[in-house]
Amino acid sequence: MNLLPMFSLLQFQRNLLALPLQYGRQFRGYAVEAPFFGKSKKKKGGPVGEKKEIPVETDVSKLLTFVCGSNILKEGKDVELKPDSEYPDWLWTIKTGPLPPLEEMDPDSLQYWRRVRKLAMARNNQLAKLKKF
């Protein structure tokens, strides 16, 4: 007795029973018809939202005297800039450039070891991407 036709018939029946479960499955976050069951109906276009124009300040005198965009309330005005002498001295010593290389950092500091840990995690992530499985 040949079992191959009976096995393929049983497999076919199981697939038919599984059809309603797979038909309404979520696909890429949307409950749509699975692409491998029938033709997928792709709609071109769709609702187009209006683009909001954000006003940009172009007045040079206002840019030099106010912190534009600092007012979050409906009424009121932006914060006015003060002369440099009214700000604390530490404000002008803040490092805003790129981080120093690891060789120039002090190995006894917490920032050094946090940086070592961050670089090690980045290296491990790059190596994990190279694995096939």
Side-chain angles (χ1 to χ4, degrees):
M1 181 174 168
N2 192 356
L3 294 177
L4 185 60
M6 186 171 61
F7 178 74
S8 60
L9 180 64
L10 287 174
Q11 208 171 23
F12 179 72
Q13 288 175 345
R14 285 186 194 142
N15 288 342
L16 281 179
L17 292 174
L19 180 65
L21 295 176
Q22 293 180 352
Y23 190 74
R25 208 182 254 182
Q26 282 196 347
F27 183 71
R28 292 189 182 171
Y30 301 98
V32 295
E33 177 181 324
F36 42 84
F37 290 114
K39 295 180 181 177
S40 63
K41 299 174 185 174
K42 292 185 178 180
K43 295 180 182 178
K44 292 185 179 180
V48 178
E50 295 180 21
K51 289 187 177 182
K52 292 186 178 181
E53 288 283 332
I54 300 174
V56 178
E57 187 61 50
T58 56
D59 183 20
V60 178
S61 63
K62 190 170 183 181
L63 287 170
L64 292 174
T65 56
F66 292 98
V67 181
C68 296
S70 62
N71 181 28
I72 58 170
L73 304 174
K74 287 187 178 180
E75 58 264 347
K77 61 178 188 174
D78 291 331
V79 177
E80 193 170 346
L81 289 174
K82 300 175 185 175
D84 291 350
S85 61
E86 293 192 32
Y87 292 105
D89 292 333
W90 59 264
L91 185 64
W92 310 114
T93 60
I94 294 176
K95 295 179 183 177
T96 57
L99 293 173
L102 192 62
E103 296 81 24
E104 292 180 9
M105 295 178 75
D106 180 28
D108 295 333
S109 66
L110 181 63
Q111 290 82 14
Y112 175 84
W113 291 106
R114 283 185 179 167
R115 185 96 175 277
V116 168
R117 182 172 179 254
K118 183 179 178 181
L119 292 173
M121 284 193 296
R123 184 174 181 271
N124 286 341
N125 288 339
Q126 287 294 325
L127 291 174
K129 283 182 183 179
L130 297 175
K131 290 183 181 178
K132 290 192 176 193
F133 292 88

